[in-house]
Amino acid sequence: MPRISNELRRFIHSIASIPHLEAMLLLHQSPAQPWDGDAIAKRLYLNQQDATQMLKDLHASGICAALPDKEGYFVYAPATNELTGLIDQLAIFYASNLIEVTNMIHSRANAGRMHLFADAFKFNKDK
């Protein structure tokens, strides 16, 4: 496996699922586009309810922001510059290391995954 930073490795391990990863990267690819659960569901072949929950999870993790004038719509808006950098690195790394990233996400136990995902960024506040 190619070398990656500890921060990127920790970030990848904090991602709840492959669909969460794909949704995050979809938003990253089109940062100005508003997304709702229906649009994410169609692009990622998910049901609308799961896609809507993923957007809410990404919002809770500081990866996207809710649009105040369009209920249920979100745009890519990482909460910190560090998070922006990690997602940029992840997008590049994932493009050529799909299996490694997938294995890293699957290697984690399922219990408490979203809690870890949301908590992954708390270390930045302590610095």
Side-chain angles (χ1 to χ4, degrees), residues 14-104:
S14 73
I15 298 172
S17 68
I18 300 303
H20 280 84
L21 168 68
E22 295 287 348
M24 178 181 7
L25 294 178
L26 189 60
L27 271 67
H28 175 265
Q29 290 172 348
S30 303
Q33 179 176 340
W35 294 91
D36 67 352
D38 189 51
I40 294 290
K42 288 177 181 169
R43 289 290 301 267
L44 299 180
Y45 306 102
L46 302 168
N47 71 51
Q48 194 270 338
Q49 185 177 5
D50 289 346
T52 298
Q53 184 58 52
M54 266 188 270
L55 281 171
K56 290 177 181 177
D57 294 343
L58 294 174
H59 179 252
S61 298
I63 293 170
C64 62
L67 291 178
D69 57 340
K70 292 181 86 173
E71 186 174 335
Y73 280 81
F74 299 85
V75 293
Y76 180 72
T80 66
N81 289 336
E82 289 172 291
L83 185 54
T84 299
L86 285 170
I87 297 170
D88 290 346
Q89 290 175 46
L90 175 58
I92 293 167
F93 186 73
Y94 184 62
S96 58
N97 298 282
L98 186 143
I99 300 299
E100 289 82 3
V101 172
T102 301
N103 287 340
M104 290 170 71

